Amino acid sequence: MNAYIPTHVAIMMDGNGRWGKQRGLTRSEGHYAGAQAMEHIIDASIELNIKVLTLYAFSSENWSRPKDEVNYLMQLPVKFFKQKLPEFQKRNIMIRLSGNIDELPKRTKQSLIQAVEETKNNTGIIVNFAFNYGGRADILQAIRKIIDEARNEQIDINQVDEKLFRNYLYTSELPDPELVIRTGGEKRVSNFLLWQSSMAELYFSDVYFPDFNEQELCAAIREFQRKQWTKHSELLS
């Protein structure tokens, strides 16, 4: 690919449970397959020179799922980072988090914090895990911070604009995504990066995430490039 590559790609990794059920497996086994696919997508993103990759790993709505499934999803980061963190270090990958991790089980929270801390000085691709994340909650927590600082006279509420507001979001230090991908056949944004993705291109794939590979990612980026070229051509005409 010689055309423009989006700086920040965000992926809603949907369809893991249905992928497992389709194969006579448990939903948890589907999530395990999704974690393996996630590794391949990180590899592909590095090859494509994507600078930031955000992965919707656990939404704030996922707590309503069956208890066994939620417990497995809480254990998955512990196992994943225990196995993969040394490799991420060697490959200069920086791990970031977006979401309310204070509500997570202690071991899950510790594994996520450790991954961020141990890779904070890396300078390669940023892999941002949206964990216990919800777009509405993100906006609300930003508003609460602004109100608190205004009450304490740390900021002038009349000076709050879009540029200042984004500094209070979970993704404050990241560029907004240019391309948001959802796998699994559903065509909705599901409370994902609502503020940040307001100008992003949306791409919906029917492929369940465990089967979403480098070829599928490239197909999404080619569609992104086609749309960008069309917009550019219209501006020139």
Side-chain angles (χ1 to χ4, degrees):
M1 285 189 178
N2 296 319
Y4 177 73
I5 299 294
T7 299
H8 182 175
V9 175
I11 303 179
M12 290 178 264
M13 304 182 292
D14 195 21
N16 294 328
R18 283 173 286 156
W19 182 94
K21 187 176 180 180
Q22 192 179 70
R23 286 159 176 74
L25 305 171
T26 65
R27 289 181 60 86
S28 293
E29 287 172 311
H31 290 303
Y32 177 77
Q36 293 179 307
M38 186 172 66
E39 294 179 48
H40 298 313
I41 293 302
I42 293 172
D43 292 341
S45 297
I46 293 171
E47 290 296 319
L48 290 166
N49 201 31
I50 292 168
K51 303 300 183 185
V52 182
L53 176 67
T54 292
L55 300 169
Y56 205 5
F58 188 88
S59 80
S60 52
E61 287 76 30
N62 287 160
W63 293 107
S64 63
R65 292 186 176 187
K67 186 176 180 181
D68 288 347
E69 183 179 354
V70 171
N71 288 340
Y72 182 81
L73 288 168
M74 289 298 115
Q75 295 169 12
L76 200 53
V78 179
K79 296 177 181 178
F80 180 79
F81 285 119
K82 183 177 181 180
Q83 181 182 4
K84 295 298 175 181
L85 195 53
E87 179 184 336
F88 286 172
Q89 278 284 48
K90 289 179 182 178
R91 301 183 67 189
N92 199 30
I93 296 170
M94 178 188 286
I95 303 299
R96 292 290 301 271
L97 291 176
S98 294
N100 184 0
I101 63 171
D102 290 336
E103 296 179 350
L104 301 178
K106 184 177 180 180
R107 288 189 66 205
T108 308
K109 179 180 177 180
Q110 287 177 337
S111 67
L112 292 168
I113 291 173
Q114 180 183 2
V116 171
E117 183 63 25
E118 292 192 12
T119 62
K120 66 181 181 181
N121 295 321
N122 292 347
T123 57
I125 187 173
I126 297 171
V127 180
N128 177 44
F129 287 92
F131 208 95
N132 196 25
Y133 178 87
R136 289 178 176 179
D138 191 4
I139 293 168
L140 285 173
Q141 64 85 29
I143 292 171
R144 291 188 188 105
K145 288 179 182 177
I146 290 171
I147 291 172
D148 284 343
E149 292 193 8
R151 283 173 175 168
N152 294 324
E153 299 183 348
Q154 294 174 279
I155 60 170
D156 181 349
I157 197 70
N158 295 311
Q159 293 179 342
V160 176
D161 56 13
E162 289 186 16
K163 185 177 180 180
L164 180 63
F165 184 82
R166 75 182 310 278
N167 292 332
Y168 293 85
L169 296 169
Y170 287 126
T171 57
S172 60
E173 297 179 7
L174 302 177
D176 288 341
E178 296 171 273
L179 173 61
V180 176
I181 300 169
R182 180 172 187 150
T183 66
E186 301 290 347
K187 293 180 173 62
R188 58 180 185 270
V189 296
S190 293
N191 202 19
F192 183 48
L193 299 177
L194 298 180
W195 177 280
Q196 298 88 333
S197 64
S198 61
M199 300 301 292
E201 295 288 351
L202 304 179
Y203 180 88
F204 299 101
S205 170
D206 290 331
V207 175
Y208 292 151
F209 187 71
D211 291 329
F212 192 82
N213 54 25
E214 182 177 0
Q215 288 71 35
E216 297 293 338
L217 177 61
C218 287
I221 292 176
R222 281 194 293 269
E223 178 62 12
F224 167 84
Q225 292 169 340
R226 184 191 67 78
K227 289 181 178 179
Q228 294 302 304
W229 174 251
T230 300
K231 289 179 182 178
H232 181 69
S233 298
E234 289 174 351
L235 288 172
L236 294 176
S237 62

